[in-house]
Amino acid sequence: MQVSITVNGQPRTDEVEPRLLLAHYLREVRGLTATNIGCDTTSCGACTVVVDGLTVKSCTVLAVQTDGGQVTTLEGLAGPDGELHPVQRAFREEHGLQCGFCTPGMVMAAIGVLADNPDPSDREVREGLEGNLCRCTGYHNIVRAVQAAAKAGPAAGQVPQAQEVQA
Amino acid sequence: MSILGTRVVRTEDPLFLTRGATYTDDLTDERLTGALHATFVRSTVAHGRLLSVDASAALEAPGVVAVVTAQDVADLAPIPPPFPFINPAMTRPWLASDRVRFVGDPVAVVLTEERYQGEDAAEMVAVDIDPLPAVVGTAAAASDEVLLFPEAGTNVMASFGDPAPADFFDGCEVVVTQAMVNQRVAPVPLEGRAAAAAWSEDGRVTVWCTNQGAQQARGQFGDWLEMDPDLIHLITPDVGGGFGAKIGADPEYAFVAWLAKHVGRPVRWAESRSENLIGMLHGRGQDQVVTVGGRRDGTIEAYSIVFDQDCGSYPRIGAVLPTLTMLMAPGVYGFPKVHAQARALATTTTSIGAYRGAGRPEATAALERAVDLFAAEIGTDPADVRRKNLLPAFSEPHTTPTGATYDTGDYTVALDKALEAAGYAELRAEQARRRERGDVRQLGIGMSVYVEITGADNGAGTGEAASLEVHPDGTATVLTGTSPHGQGHATAWAMIASDQLGIPIEKISVVHGDTDRVPQGGGTMGSRSLQQGGAAVHQAAGELVDLARQRAAEKLEVAPEDLVVDLGLAGLAVRGTPGTGITFAELAADEQLLVQTRFTAAAPTFPFGAHVVVVEVDVESGKAEVTRLIAVDDAGTILNPLLAEGQRHGGYAQGVAQALLEEVLYDEDGNPTTSTLADYPFVSATELPSFELVEMATPTPMNALGAKGIGEAGTIGATPAVQNAVIDAVAHLGVRHIDMPTTPMRVFRAVQQARGGS
Ligand code: FES
Ligand code: FES
């Protein structure tokens, strides 16, 4: 089947199997490997991306379901001059990552948490990230990072506006 | 000011946070172009005779290039046990030929052009197994009624120690004994196992795999595949967590290399999470009986631990874990008599390996539970019993009854600091009030004091190699035999080199996990990296300065001793006349500026600490919630507090998880029932509090940095503190002990039983 999906502002049309998961589409068709796959039961959140403004687990969505949609992955967050998104910056400053495997999904999920609640408490961050597992950090610094990012204001809860690039 | 000891954010993070790290399954190396995907067909039966494997249907499936079964690997000798003291009949076949020994035992491999095709085709391989009774749990194994390896004549892989003398507890006023379980848990690094292999024309193979030590894995590949290790180029790219389970090569990794040769094309493999939970190494898995005897005044005179280690089907590191548990049995205490004895047993489950702490958390959990049981028996505050029995502070080495020689320690101060930070007296008062009122939510206060061994000899000695080169453009490269999987070596080793050379950390790159570039190394395990790998980098930097001084002295025509390091210059200056010198980069432009060195530690080190945990337990539902975790972890001198804290946090989470909820389960037929992350109760952010860290630093004389290890402190200290806290919350109802994990059901049952007086 043909799908046209805009990823990080780049539209493209590809021929894919109907059963291809969005996570595999991103990794193998689009070559964007930041989005990781950590489970086969929609449990870990490592594959979290933003689709049309909503955070979703990309292992649970078919590429064809995203046809015509806008997807943002970790690779699409930093500004053109390499300027980090407030959540990326906070993860670095608060040491919110170790091995980095959960990180792309965790960063995307954190943006979703802040979109819903720009000033979350410790508890609210924890509840917001319940679907994202991390084995390294004990979540302590991730929670601190999300709260630190909140200080940057509304930008912390937004992904960059996808540019309309003419195909 | 020195950069050492400061909170430096990681140099690896900008890439990790913008493009993502490059894990094995992310590789786009051109040598892997056209790689086939390997999908293992695994036994769905725990134990049985393998009657037939029929691949004919699978071979017709789309994209299938080959299906490999035991017949194809008949020439390859099975994998022998990894230690000489293990029953030599317990070998591991590459693919099951006559018998399967656990659910997950590889039976065949399907090679396909595309990933999804592999899963389809694997389903089509018909495997016929005549079931035999499963052997689940150490009691079933020890009975030897059903043998995994009939040729061995027993399920005992190895035995350690002798029974205690009959009079061991004679003269004790109080003797308490308790059977306890240190349950099997899954390490679950978020990146599962993955490998890729490609052969080149010259007969060399490049293998990429997710592993904690490239050099050790290469050695195993060489042994298993009967290859000259020089023909193996092993690379560990970014690694998504290990926690001990990625120590050493898994047979699947070596098999991927063999498969690539067999089909004449590159091959890659990445397991699914369910495959990971049934097939990767598990951790812990000890059934312990502890006995503690002493006087009513709180003095403990004798302590014994006798335990069975579940090793799973094929011997891996699990078979050697009992020795570490036995070595660390006396812990922080000065008990006059300590006894330890163990057996390592084969069961029809996946093998047990190292998991964060590897043998030490098991020792500490048993001991700290035993001390609490003793305190409860004599009706004394557990903090007082601990104080009475802790070894006094020492700065000269102390040798224990089980033969460990602790370097430096002050356990009483650690305990007092933790209790003070917790507000212990007020916590006990609040507990008393809630008990008085009969609240539904009762308070539990648990503690542990621990000492552990880090940087023990892992087969590569107690040392590490390092090399350091400054380049003419002012950058530098560190080569290290340690191999990070989240610990931040790129930052830490750059800090150590920068501190002595003045080259900024951003200009120092750290190379690891590539056996062509770093042929010797011990990997990252057992919390050895900083105290050995970091110390080696420190030594290399010192040697580089010496070398540079000789060269600069000639060039500048001054005496070498008149040259001093000028950090601002990143070079050497003539003493008393700053600015008149030469940079390391300039020297490197004349002639390669490179040193290669090896640091050897005299002995391992023994970090220690104390944890206090507060839980609230709903006595009607049995649900326990950790509300506070206060920790003192003394790992000697801290290089980068940010990284050290991160290591501590991660360990606490895993400790809380083991104490409260995590457990790998098999049913009586040996079927895993926790084989996905939907079933395995992996800890999430909602079950944890933010942690309260208390600082204490007692340097070690074992290396110039004064550093001990920190990677495993969290699981060692937190696990028993949480378990003790949960039991403490319901102790006034008559509960004496609850095994881990202290799930709501277990706590509820214990309370019901105590109330029923049974
Ligand atoms: S990979 Fe999508 S939730 Fe785990
Ligand atoms: S940083 Fe390793 S899993 Fe989160």
Side-chain angles (χ1 to χ4, degrees):
Chain A
M1 287 181 74
Q2 263 202 352
V3 290
S4 299
I5 304 176
T6 300
V7 183
N8 301 330
Q10 304 291 318
R12 226 176 86 174
T13 302
D14 297 282
E15 190 66 36
V16 300
E17 265 194 82
R19 63 173 173 171
L20 184 70
L21 298 173
L22 178 60
H24 284 125
Y25 168 80
L26 292 169
R27 291 176 54 81
E28 288 168 17
V29 180
R30 301 298 289 262
L32 297 167
T33 55
T35 301
N36 292 318
I37 299 176
C39 73
D40 30 44
T41 48
T42 319
S43 307
C44 74
C47 63
T48 306
V49 299
V50 174
V51 178
D52 296 329
L54 287 176
T55 47
V56 301
K57 293 184 175 179
S58 63
C59 71
T60 311
V61 182
L62 298 169
V64 294
Q65 290 175 289
T66 323
D67 191 21
Q70 305 263 354
V71 179
T72 308
T73 69
L74 184 88
E75 289 100 328
L77 290 183
D81 47 359
E83 196 200 333
L84 296 182
H85 184 278
V87 172
Q88 289 174 311
R89 199 164 52 236
F91 266 68
R92 183 174 190 210
E93 280 162 10
E94 302 297 331
H95 187 34
L97 65 156
Q98 291 180 25
C99 81
F101 200 84
C102 72
T103 309
M106 200 63 89
V107 166
M108 302 316 284
I111 292 171
V113 169
L114 292 169
D116 292 344
N117 182 350
D119 185 22
S121 67
D122 182 288
R123 200 33 35 204
E124 286 164 343
V125 174
R126 288 176 186 277
E127 278 163 11
L129 295 178
E130 196 181 5
N132 287 70
L133 302 179
C134 174
R135 195 51 147 179
C136 299
T137 61
Y139 305 102
H140 181 108
N141 285 347
I142 291 176
V143 174
R144 288 200 340 188
V146 176
Q147 291 185 316
K151 302 211 170 75
Q158 289 160 9
V159 294
Q161 208 60 44
Q163 312 105 291
E164 281 307 322
V165 182
Q166 296 309 323
Chain B
M1 196 190 97
S2 170
I3 193 173
L4 304 189
T6 63
R7 305 173 73 83
V8 177
V9 296
R10 299 204 310 182
T11 54
E12 46 273 71
D13 286 353
L15 195 59
F16 277 27
L17 282 163
T18 54
R19 292 219 333 253
T22 303
Y23 306 104
T24 299
D25 203 35
D26 298 339
L27 291 168
T28 53
D29 192 286
E30 62 178 23
R31 286 167 285 185
L32 292 172
T33 309
L36 296 172
H37 290 270
T39 307
F40 283 85
V41 177
R42 294 174 180 276
S43 174
T44 54
V45 173
H47 194 199
R49 279 186 208 92
L50 183 60
L51 302 178
S52 67
V53 180
D54 179 0
S56 51
L59 280 166
E60 301 300 313
V64 174
V65 173
V67 179
V68 175
T69 64
Q71 287 149 14
D72 301 301
V73 270
D75 289 351
L76 209 52
I79 298 170
F83 306 101
F85 52 79
I86 297 172
N87 193 317
M90 296 180 173
T91 61
R92 177 168 190 156
W94 292 89
L95 293 172
S97 55
D98 58 340
R99 188 181 277 254
V100 293
R101 293 187 179 84
F102 71 100
V103 171
D105 210 350
V107 173
V109 184
V110 176
L111 293 166
T112 55
E113 299 286 351
E114 286 169 28
R115 200 186 290 264
Y116 286 14
Q117 293 167 341
E119 288 183 35
D120 294 342
E123 297 275 316
M124 297 165 78
V125 177
V127 180
D128 193 10
I129 296 169
D130 180 21
L132 292 165
V135 181
V136 178
T138 55
S143 76
D144 275 344
E145 275 167 29
V146 178
L147 299 177
L148 273 76
F149 302 88
E151 325 77 83
T154 174
N155 289 322
V156 180
M157 289 183 179
S159 305
F160 310 92
D162 298 313
D167 62 354
F168 197 69
F169 292 98
D170 283 5
C172 293
E173 289 172 8
V174 181
V175 178
V176 186
T177 192
Q178 177 70 48
M180 51 184 78
V181 176
N182 204 296
Q183 82 274 26
R184 176 187 279 251
V185 291
V188 207
L190 271 210
E191 182 206 18
R193 293 178 294 169
W199 291 77
S200 56
E201 304 272 299
D202 61 1
R204 289 189 91 214
V205 61
T206 303
V207 181
W208 296 261
C209 64
T210 178
N211 197 268
Q212 294 176 218
Q215 296 79 11
Q216 184 183 334
R218 180 182 66 160
Q220 285 174 313
F221 273 55
D223 289 349
W224 297 347
L225 299 175
E226 295 174 41
M227 279 179 72
D228 178 350
D230 287 343
L231 296 177
I232 304 167
H233 181 192
L234 202 132
I235 301 171
T236 55
D238 290 326
V239 170
F243 313 110
K246 290 180 183 170
I247 296 174
D250 278 42
E252 284 94 334
Y253 295 170
F255 204 55
V256 165
W258 183 90
L259 287 167
K261 177 101 175 191
H262 181 71
V263 292
R265 279 175 69 174
V267 171
R268 50 202 310 174
W269 171 63
E271 70 180 355
S272 67
R273 180 57 60 189
S274 36
E275 199 176 4
N276 172 266
L277 281 163
I278 64 167
M280 194 188 215
L281 297 169
H282 290 157
R284 314 279 188 258
Q286 288 184 2
D287 292 310
Q288 307 164 330
V289 176
V290 298
T291 310
V292 57
R295 296 206 296 270
R296 293 217 163 265
D297 70 356
T299 312
I300 294 173
E301 295 163 307
Y303 171 70
S304 160
I305 176 167
V306 177
F307 64 99
D308 283 332
Q309 171 75 55
D310 184 347
C311 295
S313 48
Y314 301 107
R316 296 283 297 270
I317 295 175
V320 81
L321 289 183
T323 60
L324 275 169
T325 305
M326 292 166 72
L327 181 73
M328 297 314 295
V332 286
Y333 301 106
F335 307 152
K337 291 199 283 183
V338 178
H339 163 256
Q341 187 196 358
R343 288 182 296 190
L345 299 162
T347 59
T348 53
T349 59
T350 196
S351 298
I352 294 268
Y355 173 55
R356 206 162 192 172
R360 291 90 106 191
E362 296 88 325
T364 307
L367 178 61
E368 289 302 281
R369 219 38 300 283
V371 172
D372 262 28
L373 283 161
F374 185 82
E377 186 69 25
I378 61 171
T380 303
D381 188 307
D384 292 336
V385 172
R386 284 182 171 79
R387 280 198 195 94
K388 200 167 188 91
N389 292 284
L390 287 172
L391 283 166
F394 57 95
S395 52
E396 291 297 314
H398 167 82
T399 300
T400 71
T402 52
T405 302
Y406 299 168
D407 50 352
T408 51
D410 191 345
Y411 309 137
T412 306
V413 168
L415 175 63
D416 286 345
K417 274 179 182 281
L419 291 171
E420 196 197 311
Y424 188 60
E426 175 45 35
L427 285 171
R428 285 285 177 213
E430 168 65 11
Q431 179 183 54
R433 286 193 289 273
R434 292 200 196 188
R435 286 180 174 179
E436 182 76 18
R437 291 195 300 258
D439 283 6
V440 174
R441 277 175 87 82
Q442 288 290 330
L443 206 64
I445 306 143
M447 69 192 75
S448 72
V449 191
Y450 72 88
V451 58
E452 62 153 326
I453 178 171
T454 66
D457 185 350
N458 67 352
T462 53
E464 187 54 83
S467 96
L468 176 58
E469 179 172 8
V470 177
H471 308 289
D473 65 358
T475 64
T477 305
V478 172
L479 302 187
T480 174
T482 60
S483 206
H485 33 287
Q487 293 88 349
H489 291 22
T491 309
W493 288 193
M495 286 171 70
I496 293 171
S498 175
D499 181 58
Q500 288 168 86
L501 304 178
I503 297 171
I505 58 168
E506 296 75 25
K507 290 190 170 185
I508 302 174
S509 50
V510 177
V511 175
H512 55 78
D514 181 323
T515 57
D516 273 13
R517 299 192 68 185
V518 191
Q520 304 299 325
T524 291
M525 57 196 73
S527 301
R528 64 184 295 279
S529 282
L530 180 56
Q531 66 189 91
Q532 292 168 4
V537 174
H538 184 265
Q539 182 169 299
E543 290 177 12
L544 188 120
V545 168
D546 290 343
L547 176 64
R549 185 179 279 122
Q550 293 302 332
R551 298 230 188 116
E554 277 171 37
K555 213 170 150 64
L556 301 176
E557 295 178 347
V558 292
E561 50 282 7
D562 287 336
L563 288 170
V564 291
V565 174
D566 183 336
L567 292 173
L569 185 70
L572 295 159
V574 179
R575 195 187 304 274
T577 50
T580 58
I582 186 162
T583 65
F584 295 118
E586 285 165 332
L587 287 167
D590 289 346
E591 188 185 347
Q592 188 184 35
L593 190 58
L594 164 75
V595 292
Q596 288 172 308
T597 193
R598 182 172 177 86
F599 166 77
T600 303
T605 65
F606 293 82
F608 60 92
H611 290 193
V612 175
V613 165
V614 184
V615 298
E616 288 193 5
V617 175
D618 182 317
V619 292
E620 282 172 5
S621 70
K623 185 163 169 50
E625 187 192 336
V626 175
T627 57
R628 293 179 65 196
L629 190 156
I630 301 102
V632 175
D633 297 298
D634 188 328
T637 311
I638 298 298
L639 173 73
N640 182 337
L642 202 61
L643 301 184
E645 286 165 15
Q647 290 299 303
R648 292 168 70 183
H649 295 156
Y652 305 151
Q654 287 174 306
V656 172
Q658 186 183 3
L660 286 190
L661 58 127
E662 288 193 21
E663 180 173 31
V664 171
L665 291 170
Y666 289 87
D667 70 15
E668 59 190 14
D669 296 324
N671 299 306
T673 58
T674 46
S675 57
T676 70
L677 281 180
D679 306 314
Y680 185 74
F682 193 98
V683 71
S684 78
T686 51
E687 284 108 1
L688 297 166
S690 287
F691 308 115
E692 300 166 52
L693 277 55
V694 183
E695 303 309 328
M696 178 169 173
T698 309
T700 179
M702 295 297 163
N703 58 70
L705 298 168
K708 303 183 181 184
I710 191 66
E712 293 147 304
T715 53
I716 294 169
T719 313
V722 175
Q723 187 187 14
N724 282 340
V726 175
I727 297 166
D728 181 62
V730 291
H732 65 296
L733 304 173
V735 175
R736 185 178 118 121
H737 177 77
I738 305 170
D739 272 325
M740 298 189 292
T742 55
T743 58
M745 185 54 94
R746 289 218 176 130
V747 174
F748 175 80
R749 285 217 183 105
V751 169
Q752 293 305 108
Q753 249 172 30
R755 279 184 170 154
S758 57

